[in-house]
Every structure is written in C-alpha cells, then in structure tokens.
Amino acid sequence: MNRKDFIKSMALLPLVTSSMKLKELDKMTASMSSTSKMPVLFLGHGSPMNAIEENEFVAGFRKIGKEITKPNAILCISAHWETRGTYVTAMQNPLTIHDFGGFPKALFDVQYPAPGSPELAEQTKHLISKTEVGLDDKWGLDHGAWSVIKHLYPNADIPVIQMSIDYTQPARYHYELAKQISSLRQKGVLIIGSGNMVHNLRMVAWSKINEEFAFDWAAEANEKMKSHILSGDFQPLIDFKSQGNAFDLAIPTPEHYLPLLYTLALKEENEKVTLFNDKPVGGSLTMTSVKIEPN
C-alpha cells in the first residue's frame, strides 16, 4: 500500500469503528423487543426487615408490581452501591448480598436468585457517554435492590442489573447521567431508584421506628420535596444543598437521596407522577415512593 492509500484508509478508520460499534449495539438491543414506554420508580426501601415483614409498605410495593406491565429486565440504582466511577453489574447470576448486621437469621437466609443480564449491562455502558462505565463481576444485588424488588416480582424471574453511584460526583452529574439511559424504557426495562428521601439514621427515634412519626424538620423537608416532585420543578431538588436546615438534616449524606434524582431525570413531558407509601417512620426517615408513567 502506498503512502496516499494508507492515509485514506486511516482517515476512514473512525467511521469503520463507529459503524462496528453501532452494529454491536444493534445486536444487543435486538434481543429486547420494543415495548410501550415503561414507568420509572423511586422506592423508599427503609429497613432491610421490610424484606420479610408484612406491613403497609410491602403491600404498596406489591400493588405497584401488579399495576405495571411485567418488564423484560430491571435496572436498579441503589443507595447501597457507592463507587469511585460508574459501574454496572454484568454477571449472569448475581449474588444476593446481605450488606447489613444485627438482624435476625431469617433475613440473612433470604435469597433472591434473579438472573443478571450481561447484555443489558453492555447496552447501558454503550448508551452512557458522560463517563466510562465499568462492567462489574463481583457485586451482585444488595438489599437496596432485592429487599424491594422481591415484593414486586417474587418469582425472581426477571433479569436484574445494578448501576452504582459515583460518590465523587455532584447531584447535577447524576441527574444528567440518568437522562442518557432513557431509551431503555422503550425496551421494556423498568428503571428503579431505591433509597429514602429523608434519611438521617443518627437522629432516629428508635422507640417510634414502627410508628408514623416525623420530627418537624423531617416533615418540612418531605413536604417541600413532594411539592417540587409533583410540580415538576426539579431544580431545587438538584440543588438540595442550598435548600436550608430542614434539607441539611434530611440529607446528611447523599447516597439515599441521589436515587430519587435518577428517577426524576427520566420523567418526560406530560407524564403522570404519583406518590405512594407516603409516610414517615422513626422521626427521621420517610418511606415516600414515586411512580412516573405515561398518561
């Protein structure tokens, strides 16, 4: 090959590489047929004991599971998987992680043997251009995922992957990153954020952990959050660090709050927003959950 032809071939290389990536992505998406747009959920998961107890919150999760179309797969953003950088679980059979202590043996005995989806992990990785997404083969499903998903789909017959929360990044980053996976909703993927809107374990009134009770600051923060969610004014929620003392107490660390922003980022114009399980417990926790769906 002469020098001129070599230069021409090198100039075409990026186009060939791009075409190959598109073909690979087409192959991955072909296994997931297009569907009507799936809803998006934020689930206030609360105590791990909700995995094995019978209460109104568990009943709320089950009700939602019956109301929505059965998904092809689930992508969950859980408060309990924080990493430096962004990762998605990419193993075929994720482990059930019991990432807590001090609970009854019955809770540690729970297994949720849902399959994983290396294909969905790859697809998610290719959709996100905001950062390089790593494929993880070590994590599994933590209790932020399985303790609630098991009530929606008790047969564990739907593939589940998790996407981690990069703890080094600000709220705006997470909100914008979430928007890049919106097309998964058209492929039958149910995207779930799992955390708690108000979550301050240091201030829990343990004597009232099973009662509907909120400190004044928790009630104030929760009401303001709900007002912004229902009005579609998400900017104050993204700027949560600038909303005053009630928000500061409600969100002492962001990991339980950020999954809410992943859910809200996926709301499209004219979609319906409803709240459920909207109750405080223990003074400084709220179980408030959100469903976003097409009208």
Side-chain angles (χ1 to χ4, degrees), residues 94-107:
L95 297 173
T96 303
I97 302 173
H98 299 87
D99 50 331
F100 42 69
F103 291 96
K105 182 177 181 298
L107 185 57

Side-chain angles (χ1 to χ4, degrees), residues 21 54 76 117 146 150 191 285:
K21 284 184 178 179
E54 289 294 330
C76 182
S117 176
W146 63 260
K150 75 181 289 290
I191 301 173
L285 303 170

